[in-house]
Amino acid sequence: MSSTLRFQVVGEAFKKKAIDIPNREDRPSEFFGKYVFNKQKMLKYLPAKVYEKMCDVIDNGTKLDLATADAVAEGMKKWAMELGATHCTHWFQPLTEGTAEKHDGFVEHDWKGGMVEEFTGKELVQQEPDASSFPSGGIRSTFEARGYSAWDPASPVFVIGDTLMIPTVFISYTGEALDYKAPLKKALQAVDKAATDVARYFYDDVTKVVSNLGWEQEYFLVDEGLYAARPDLLMTGRTLMGHDSAKNQQMDDHYFGSIPLRVAAFMKDLEIQALELGIPCKTRHNEVAPNQFELAPIFEETNLAVDHNMLIMGLMKRVARKHGFRCLLHEKPFAGINGSGKHNNWSLSTNTGVLLHGPGKTPTDNLRFVTFIVETLMGVYHHNGLLKGSIISATNAHRLGANEAPPAIISSFLGKQLSDLLDALEESDDDKLFNLSGKQSMTLDIPQIPELLLDNTDRNRTSPFAFTGNRFEFRAVGSQANCAAAMIVLNTAVAEALTNFKERVDALIAGGMDKTKAIVKVVREDIKTCKPIRFDGNGYTEEWKAEAKRRGLDVESSAPRMFERYLDKESIRMFERMGVLSEAELEARTEIKLETYTKKIQIEARIFGDLCLNHIIPVATRYQSQLIDNVHKVSEIFPAETAKEVSENNLKLIKQISEHSSFITEYVEKLIDARRVANRIESELDKAVAYHDTVAPLLEEIRYHVDKLELIVDDELWPLPKYREMLFIR
Ligand code: ADP
Ligand code: MG
């Protein structure tokens, strides 16, 4: 792009003043869920018997028979057609981090030469999208070629545009999961069972435990004209080069600042559409970096929350374009300023209350609270490396460990009061703890838990897994990731910890120990065992890295090696025992993660090399020629001594440009060679490791010189929109 064009683009961005602020007369409570076939709609569109059956399927997971499915499909079709739908699709989450759909029209021959609108129970319940174009990590060759998608009635269908969207799982014909939803549902089932069993030690009336997720989605907005002029942003989601803007986030003036008008219009539009799709949006604000924002809904049951997050990521991109923006979900679109994450607020609740909620009114409540906190920590402690493996990716790797986001070591922050409480319990003895009151019953005198467990001043922003009052906040999840990856591991790990807990408590009870005493004994043991995961200090220091290593926590910092945690013995044992994923599925998933990692770095390296050779070097050379020209002209009109003086600065620049350009040219060659060597490696692990160790670092090395050139070369010649333009034009 020529400089004139670049300034036209910037100019366009400034001119985009016709801000389209959506307006609605009706209230969110009236239009919430307008496009969702929820229970309200079912009641209206389904026969009473069918409605009852569906409620049973949704609430209790009973099987759906084909006759009911036909009746449901009929009601759904009527409802969807009233909203203008003409097509339907199964909507699923393959292992590509996005969503996939294949649309079919509601049409069928009427066998009299015409057409009828038709949508059957069979189409609703199961379809066979061609699985061969989705990643399967070798499952297809090992097992069976075809895959199918099957409706998840726990997540209601919805209408977008002219299409009825049906959330489904995606599995191979031999039953292996090819997606995120299938294992997530199994993990949620496992934690439901394990947590219900343990909760019943405390309360007889607990019949179900639900895992909750409240995600906070961070994102950047960039003017679409500027975006289009950055091939790197367009192709990889991040800027591979670009010097810091003189002003970026150092003034801390963006966070919670007033929202720019054009952005506010986008947010409002997005929220309305999200609410109509049943996504309970609540919070919106500016984030730390310029042009960075956040959106958070009210938390929901985890399976639904994951679907809603996938849905909103797509919606954000679509709505942004309507407002002349591009929405960037990449974890680190710009170097030198904060990247984007997706905090996953997680908790367990029963049909009677929140399990991680303290303080309790009674000693039983308090012991229940401590038990669930400690067993969550046990799960996180035993599988801290795997949890890290669940959130790491080529893109999130830029964020982890940098001075902005959680460090690349998983630990948990509990805050002073809760830590003191666990310490007190660990050191207490039963004589003090139990007061005999009456003959049989014992009361438990756990030290008083303060009313407000944590206030905001006590929050530790550096902790990857922080307790925040009634939930844990897993902060290491990447902004564009499918939350399911992290939620599968977390819920399975907690399910395993609770299962182990119950086995040990039951054994003590069987041996004649009082139930409460047995619980306290095992909790006390576990407080000791999982102590290494507790860390309330600053996670960015070098001392912590050394200390974490001493404690036996996973300190691996290379992404491809972190993926390997899925294949650790303890991981496989946990997933298989909890019935979530088989060893073959885990192997396949790991392979996909490695392949994806390699491809991402490969694409970045190719685009980066092209940009260097086709955009940067020619422009630097052109500017250098202009300088050389000037030096010649100066020497023509001045005597030699004076000419040297006058040209001193230009001569320096000419030399600097030469140095930077030579480095870039030479190292782009090296980059190509490194790729060539890596590409020849057979094993997916070794290949990804080679890309991590030998290709990725070269990008950073070369970038330094490109960014230096950006400071030297005449701004009018520079071919790419700069950080200050992309980050401050709204
Ligand atoms: P902050 O930015 O201070 O961390 P936000 O208000 O932006 O907090 O987001 C908090 C998120 O946590 C929201 O999605 C909220 O619904 C969710 N949340 C609150 N309580 C729970 C809970 N018990 N379980 C899961 N998520 C919760
Ligand atoms: Mg948060």
Side-chain angles (χ1 to χ4, degrees):
M1 170 166 75
S2 75
S3 60
T4 4
L5 208 55
R6 174 165 149 246
F7 286 98
Q8 261 174 21
V9 166
V10 176
E12 281 306 311
F14 275 118
K15 272 191 271 165
K16 233 168 237 144
K17 287 289 177 220
I19 293 169
D20 175 21
I21 301 181
N23 199 17
R24 285 192 77 119
E25 299 292 314
D26 46 353
R27 299 177 195 182
S29 57
E30 292 166 63
F31 62 81
F32 179 74
K34 179 178 171 193
Y35 292 108
V36 184
F37 196 66
N38 51 23
K39 280 190 182 162
Q40 243 177 337
K41 314 280 168 40
M42 287 183 197
L43 195 59
K44 185 167 164 205
Y45 286 87
L46 303 182
K49 276 255 154 31
V50 178
Y51 170 77
E52 270 166 38
K53 183 88 216 265
M54 266 315 290
C55 288
D56 194 34
V57 169
I58 293 168
D59 299 335
N60 309 318
T62 51
K63 257 200 147 32
L64 184 70
D65 58 88
L66 204 58
T68 310
D70 274 332
V72 174
E74 194 52 39
M76 252 180 209
K77 184 187 77 182
K78 185 163 185 296
W79 167 77
M81 282 174 54
E82 281 172 15
L83 291 170
T86 53
H87 286 66
C88 73
T89 182
H90 275 198
W91 180 74
F92 55 97
Q93 301 163 25
L95 296 166
T96 49
E97 311 260 279
T99 55
E101 40 197 85
K102 175 182 157 242
H103 298 202
D104 286 318
F106 288 144
V107 286
E108 190 49 74
H109 287 297
D110 68 356
W111 307 113
K112 295 183 199 105
M115 284 259 174
V116 285
E117 276 75 30
E118 195 177 276
F119 176 56
T120 62
K122 203 169 156 288
E123 284 170 287
L124 166 66
V125 172
Q126 187 169 323
Q127 288 187 6
E128 292 178 28
D130 178 13
S132 62
S133 33
F134 295 104
S136 68
I139 275 185
R140 268 191 322 272
S141 50
T142 328
F143 301 97
E144 156 73 67
R146 288 167 306 160
Y148 67 94
S149 54
W151 182 32
D152 169 21
S155 184
V157 305
F158 49 93
V159 167
I160 291 185
D162 64 3
T163 308
L164 173 68
M165 315 280 286
I166 305 161
T168 61
V169 294
F170 182 43
I171 34 197
S172 78
Y173 249 85
T174 36
E176 285 78 21
L178 298 173
D179 72 345
Y180 285 105
K181 193 188 251 292
L184 177 67
K185 286 183 73 83
K186 289 180 180 168
L188 297 175
Q189 202 176 12
V191 85
D192 171 11
K193 171 157 194 333
T196 302
D197 285 352
V198 172
R200 287 173 67 91
Y201 281 143
F202 307 99
Y203 317 107
D204 297 334
D205 52 351
V206 173
T207 53
K208 187 169 175 61
V209 171
V210 172
S211 158
N212 303 303
L213 167 63
W215 41 262
E216 301 163 54
Q217 179 71 52
E218 292 181 338
Y219 61 97
F220 279 87
L221 289 177
V222 176
D223 182 86
E224 68 174 352
L226 301 172
Y227 171 89
R230 291 282 316 212
D232 48 355
L233 203 50
L234 199 119
M235 307 291 285
T236 72
R238 75 173 179 118
T239 54
L240 299 172
M241 47 184 70
H243 201 280
D244 268 6
S245 163
K247 174 180 190 279
N248 49 42
Q249 66 189 40
Q250 66 272 57
M251 306 287 287
D252 284 335
D253 53 359
H254 189 60
Y255 191 55
F256 283 10
S258 72
I259 298 171
L261 210 58
R262 193 171 145 209
V263 176
F266 155 79
M267 285 178 168
K268 192 164 178 200
D269 209 352
L270 173 65
E271 274 173 13
I272 290 172
Q273 295 195 40
L275 287 164
E276 284 179 339
L277 283 169
I279 306 170
C281 292
K282 184 162 173 78
T283 309
R284 58 180 182 208
H285 60 77
N286 290 357
E287 261 302 325
V288 176
N291 266 9
Q292 192 188 26
F293 308 93
E294 181 186 296
L295 171 114
I298 304 168
F299 70 90
E300 299 175 279
E301 184 275 322
T302 297
N303 177 38
L304 191 58
V306 166
D307 283 355
H308 281 167
N309 182 249
M310 296 309 287
L311 200 50
I312 203 132
M313 289 197 284
L315 198 58
M316 287 168 110
K317 289 183 185 162
R318 285 200 300 276
V319 176
R321 295 189 71 166
K322 190 177 139 199
H323 292 263
F325 285 122
R326 285 299 183 124
C327 174
L328 309 181
L329 293 173
H330 192 288
E331 283 80 0
K332 192 80 178 175
F334 304 99
I337 56 172
N338 276 12
S340 300
K342 176 152 53 199
H343 294 177
N344 277 205
N345 294 271
W346 171 89
S347 69
L348 295 174
S349 57
T350 66
N351 48 323
T352 60
V354 180
L355 284 171
L356 293 170
H357 205 295
K361 285 192 199 67
T362 63
T364 306
D365 286 341
N366 282 339
L367 187 57
R368 171 268 304 159
F369 171 66
V370 171
T371 301
F372 278 91
I373 293 285
V374 171
E375 294 315 314
T376 301
L377 292 178
M378 283 291 276
V380 172
Y381 168 60
H382 282 305
H383 299 285
N384 69 89
L386 175 64
L387 262 175
K388 202 161 69 175
S390 77
I391 53 90
I392 197 68
S393 64
T395 51
N396 202 19
H398 291 289
R399 183 175 154 260
L400 285 187
N403 254 3
E404 47 161 271
I409 297 168
I410 303 292
S411 66
S412 183
F413 168 85
L414 296 182
K416 184 161 174 3
Q417 288 134 335
L418 189 49
S419 292
D420 287 352
L421 173 72
L422 294 194
D423 291 343
L425 197 58
E426 181 189 344
E427 277 143 33
S428 65
D429 53 54
D430 284 0
D431 294 344
K432 284 225 191 85
L433 209 56
F434 295 99
N435 301 321
L436 274 177
S437 68
K439 273 194 183 131
Q440 294 100 8
S441 70
M442 288 179 186
T443 59
L444 181 67
D445 185 20
I446 285 185
Q448 189 55 46
I449 303 177
E451 189 63 41
L452 235 186
L453 263 172
L454 285 172
D455 64 26
N456 279 330
T457 54
D458 203 14
R459 280 185 160 205
N460 182 331
R461 287 274 160 199
T462 78
S463 180
F465 196 76
F467 183 68
T468 52
N470 60 356
R471 61 191 188 266
F472 281 94
E473 188 167 337
F474 191 23
R475 301 201 178 111
V477 182
S479 48
Q480 62 181 328
N482 185 327
C483 306
M487 287 298 110
I488 291 167
V489 173
L490 179 59
N491 285 290
T492 310
V494 173
E496 183 195 51
L498 289 167
T499 307
N500 288 339
F501 173 81
K502 182 161 191 303
E503 274 175 12
R504 286 173 297 151
V505 172
D506 283 350
L508 291 176
I509 296 172
M513 192 183 275
D514 165 79
K515 179 178 84 182
T516 308
K517 272 196 169 169
I519 292 172
V520 170
K521 184 172 166 22
V522 177
V523 165
R524 216 185 259 139
E525 275 169 26
D526 289 352
I527 292 176
K528 272 200 190 68
T529 309
C530 72
K531 222 173 186 176
I533 200 75
R534 283 163 52 192
F535 177 63
D536 285 7
N538 180 353
Y540 297 144
T541 61
E542 284 305 313
E543 294 86 74
W544 167 236
K545 277 187 201 155
E547 166 69 14
K549 200 168 176 187
R550 262 196 305 280
R551 292 187 186 188
L553 299 180
D554 189 295
V555 295
E556 180 60 67
S557 62
S558 142
R561 290 184 180 95
M562 285 184 212
F563 299 144
E564 285 281 282
R565 298 284 72 76
Y566 276 91
L567 299 180
D568 285 349
K569 272 205 310 288
E570 310 83 72
S571 305
I572 296 173
R573 196 184 317 131
M574 170 189 89
F575 281 123
E576 293 204 321
R577 183 170 161 224
M578 293 297 114
V580 174
L581 285 162
S582 68
E583 185 167 356
E585 287 172 313
L586 288 165
E587 273 169 7
R589 261 154 216 269
T590 310
E591 186 140 326
I592 291 169
K593 279 180 186 270
L594 290 166
E595 269 172 23
T596 309
Y597 180 87
T598 297
K599 280 186 199 148
K600 287 236 159 113
I601 310 283
Q602 202 172 48
I603 291 170
E604 284 191 352
R606 290 180 64 175
I607 287 165
F608 183 75
D610 290 353
L611 274 178
C612 285
L613 301 184
N614 303 330
H615 284 63
I616 306 304
I617 296 292
V619 165
T621 314
R622 197 180 327 152
Y623 183 54
Q624 195 187 35
S625 303
Q626 286 178 11
L627 293 173
I628 294 171
D629 249 16
N630 182 272
V631 172
H632 281 307
K633 283 177 184 150
V634 166
S635 75
E636 278 166 21
I637 57 169
F638 286 114
E641 251 335 276
T642 323
K644 216 177 136 199
E645 235 173 76
V646 174
S647 292
E648 197 184 301
N649 192 43
N650 279 355
L651 288 167
K652 216 160 65 192
L653 290 179
I654 291 168
K655 191 155 171 282
Q656 282 175 6
I657 293 175
S658 281
E659 284 164 6
H660 292 307
S661 300
S662 316
F663 187 97
I664 294 169
T665 319
E666 185 189 334
Y667 273 69
V668 166
E669 249 339 285
K670 284 196 184 174
L671 183 68
I672 295 169
D673 282 342
R675 255 173 41 215
R676 207 173 281 141
V677 172
N679 288 345
R680 274 193 228 111
I681 301 173
E682 270 289 308
S683 132
E684 286 298 341
L685 172 64
D686 295 344
K687 192 191 285 182
V689 167
Y691 264 93
H692 174 272
D693 293 353
T694 65
V695 179
L698 284 173
L699 257 75
E700 292 311 305
E701 261 185 273
I702 304 170
R703 176 192 182 135
Y704 172 83
H705 294 271
V706 174
D707 292 354
K708 285 284 173 214
L709 280 178
E710 187 187 313
L711 291 184
I712 298 173
V713 172
D714 183 357
D715 188 58
E716 267 214 50
L717 294 180
W718 196 253
L720 303 171
K722 295 182 173 177
Y723 271 28
R724 63 162 185 267
E725 293 154 353
M726 288 185 286
L727 287 170
F728 290 92
I729 291 173
R730 290 155 192 157

